[in-house]
Amino acid sequence: METQCLKIETGLLPKAEGSRESETGQEDWPAASREALELAGDLIRRGELVAFPTETVYGLGADALNEDAAARIYAAKGRPSDNPLIVHICRLDQVAEIARDIPEEAWKIMERFWPGPLTVILKKKAIVPDGTTGGLKTVAIRMPSHPVAAALIRVSGRMIAAPSANRSGRPSPTSAAHVYEDMKGRIPLILDGGPVQIGIESTIVDMTGDRPVILRPGFITPEMLEKVAGPVTVDPAVAGREKPVNMVAKAPGMKYRHYAPKGQLVLVEGAGPRVIAEINRLAADREAEGLKVGIIATDETLDSYKKGIRRSIGRRSDPETVAAGLYRILREFDDLACQYIYSESFFEEGLGDAVMNRMLKAAGYRLIEV
Ligand code: AMP
Ligand code: MG
């Protein structure tokens, strides 16, 4: 199968956050972008796959209520069939079409954080096929804010099931080029909306119990949710610095061996100068053994490293740039076939939790404290 990659110009549109349809229901898309969106909508209605940008990472979409279409997602990704998909919607009234027994708190957080990087788990209605939810009786729902994602859902006239658009075991894609690397020849169409804004997957919150439980940390933090919905629990399987033992993560995706770089990733934590000294020492040792070393630095520290292949993940003073750079830098070190990767750590409150959750898993929880 040939994979087409079509650019969608969003430059003429208002920024994602304020993006809403105009009163006539028409958006000001340039003609080529509108045509690409219509082609994409057509493919979705026919049960085919389309990769598209969201504000978190690129998604691999299919008609959520068509079991055969959902099955194509698992085949294209090489994903285990009990790992459920997230259903993407563009209007709040779609929630009641696919979910039942929706608690008051769930409505509050949906109204507050949608469209945006938050996925809500609710009890599912029978209309949602088991093939979309991996056999679970619950369904994961999100309303993305990215204008291309919102337009695709609307133009297709369907709800769109989508996981991240990477092959299973690879980092989530944050650009159309990443999607192409992984999905070339496997899907008919990629909508290229440029690099994503956030760069790590949505926060997942389970609203089927007595209180909200965070199953996956993300851009929307527990503190932000607590202001709207009262006390929030973080699933112990995704909290903390140590590898969870004998714990079953409630988001099935979290139990699978996650992405691990081809090389060995080691995180170094401590006061700035000590971290730099330790990474320099480790990198020098490995290079003396003839091994290829990558270093994950920040804009602030890049020049302090003397050995290895040095790359900045972003600005430490601006955690959002670190989140946005994470998967790009991990893919780059895979491409460079580094045997060891040494990284600074980012345990700052808030977004740091979500970044470190992904980094610790990629590192197999190898963390050196200095
Ligand atoms: P991905 O977008 O690739 O990260 O995949 C979707 C994530 O949502 C996976 O980690 C799934 O395990 C999680 N997920 C989807 N549906 C459910 C559900 N009903 N209950 C808990 N987690 C879910
Ligand atoms: Mg994924």
Side-chain angles (χ1 to χ4, degrees), residues 56-60 77 79 82-88 119-122 124 132-134 136-141 162-166 172 201-202 204-206 208 215-216 249-256 258 358 361:
T56 58
V57 300
Y58 271 73
L60 181 59
K77 275 185 68 91
R79 179 177 176 108
D82 66 344
N83 188 359
L85 311 174
I86 294 171
V87 178
H88 293 72
T119 297
V120 176
I121 308 289
L122 296 168
K124 86 172 185 76
T132 297
T133 63
L136 295 178
K137 296 300 164 215
T138 53
V139 59
I141 312 176
S164 51
N166 52 288
S172 295
E201 304 84 346
S202 59
I204 300 182
V205 62
D206 184 350
T208 63
L215 305 184
R216 178 170 76 184
K250 309 256 175 4
M254 304 305 259
K255 83 174 177 238
Y256 287 105
H258 214 250
R358 309 311 193 271
K361 286 207 291 183

Side-chain angles (χ1 to χ4, degrees), residues 57-139:
V57 300
Y58 271 73
L60 181 59
D63 181 349
L65 302 187
N66 174 343
E67 194 148 33
D68 296 336
R72 292 207 168 97
I73 292 180
Y74 289 93
K77 275 185 68 91
R79 179 177 176 108
S81 63
D82 66 344
N83 188 359
L85 311 174
I86 294 171
V87 178
H88 293 72
I89 60 173
C90 62
R91 296 187 323 267
L92 207 53
D93 60 81
Q94 291 171 313
V95 174
E97 288 180 40
I98 54 175
R100 59 183 178 84
D101 303 339
I102 304 161
E104 196 52 43
E105 271 66 40
W107 286 116
K108 281 193 203 155
I109 65 170
M110 292 186 286
E111 273 160 22
R112 170 66 186 79
F113 296 106
W114 282 358
L118 179 73
T119 297
V120 176
I121 308 289
L122 296 168
K123 290 183 187 153
K124 86 172 185 76
K125 281 190 172 165
I127 189 178
V128 186
D130 282 347
T132 297
T133 63
L136 295 178
K137 296 300 164 215
T138 53
V139 59

Side-chain angles (χ1 to χ4, degrees), residues 39-330:
L39 170 65
D42 233 40
L43 284 165
I44 295 288
R45 281 191 297 276
R46 296 209 311 260
E48 300 290 339
L49 305 186
V50 175
F52 61 98
T54 80
E55 67 277 21
T56 58
V57 300
Y58 271 73
L60 181 59
D63 181 349
L65 302 187
N66 174 343
E67 194 148 33
D68 296 336
R72 292 207 168 97
I73 292 180
Y74 289 93
K77 275 185 68 91
R79 179 177 176 108
S81 63
D82 66 344
N83 188 359
L85 311 174
I86 294 171
V87 178
H88 293 72
I89 60 173
C90 62
R91 296 187 323 267
L92 207 53
D93 60 81
Q94 291 171 313
V95 174
E97 288 180 40
I98 54 175
R100 59 183 178 84
D101 303 339
I102 304 161
E104 196 52 43
E105 271 66 40
W107 286 116
K108 281 193 203 155
I109 65 170
M110 292 186 286
E111 273 160 22
R112 170 66 186 79
F113 296 106
W114 282 358
L118 179 73
T119 297
V120 176
I121 308 289
L122 296 168
K123 290 183 187 153
K124 86 172 185 76
K125 281 190 172 165
I127 189 178
V128 186
D130 282 347
T132 297
T133 63
L136 295 178
K137 296 300 164 215
T138 53
V139 59
I141 312 176
R142 177 160 102 85
M143 189 193 292
S145 67
H146 196 292
V148 175
L152 174 62
I153 301 165
R154 200 186 56 259
V155 168
S156 72
R158 303 292 157 93
M159 292 179 257
I160 297 187
S164 51
N166 52 288
R167 288 276 294 166
S168 223
R170 296 267 293 151
S172 295
T174 55
S175 70
H178 293 164
V179 179
Y180 192 72
E181 267 168 33
D182 282 18
M183 291 296 156
K184 180 171 178 245
R186 297 176 174 275
I187 63 173
L189 179 61
I190 301 168
L191 296 179
D192 179 355
V196 300
Q197 296 159 297
I198 293 178
I200 51 173
E201 304 84 346
S202 59
T203 305
I204 300 182
V205 62
D206 184 350
M207 298 301 294
T208 63
D210 292 342
R211 56 152 89 182
V213 183
I214 298 215
L215 305 184
R216 178 170 76 184
F219 186 84
I220 305 293
T221 62
E223 294 72 31
M224 291 159 82
L225 287 167
E226 277 182 344
K227 285 198 184 122
V228 181
V232 167
T233 307
V234 180
D235 185 347
V238 298
R241 301 178 177 205
E242 256 112 74
K243 187 176 187 150
V245 275
N246 300 327
M247 260 189 259
V248 181
K250 309 256 175 4
M254 304 305 259
K255 83 174 177 238
Y256 287 105
R257 193 184 131 81
H258 214 250
Y259 161 73
K262 290 176 190 150
Q264 188 172 102
L265 172 63
V266 179
L267 312 178
V268 183
E269 154 78 349
R274 287 214 296 276
V275 169
I276 290 166
E278 179 69 3
I279 290 180
N280 272 327
R281 188 182 68 74
L282 289 163
D285 285 357
R286 294 293 92 75
E287 284 198 339
E289 294 164 13
L291 298 170
K292 195 165 178 184
V293 177
I295 292 178
I296 301 181
T298 55
D299 285 5
E300 288 92 337
T301 58
L302 191 61
D303 293 339
S304 307
Y305 295 104
K306 306 297 171 210
K307 300 276 176 178
I309 303 170
R310 301 167 290 266
R311 295 286 184 273
S312 171
I313 189 173
R315 287 186 301 283
R316 182 171 291 278
S317 59
D318 183 359
E320 292 186 18
T321 64
V322 173
L326 176 62
Y327 289 133
R328 169 185 47 77
I329 209 168
L330 290 174

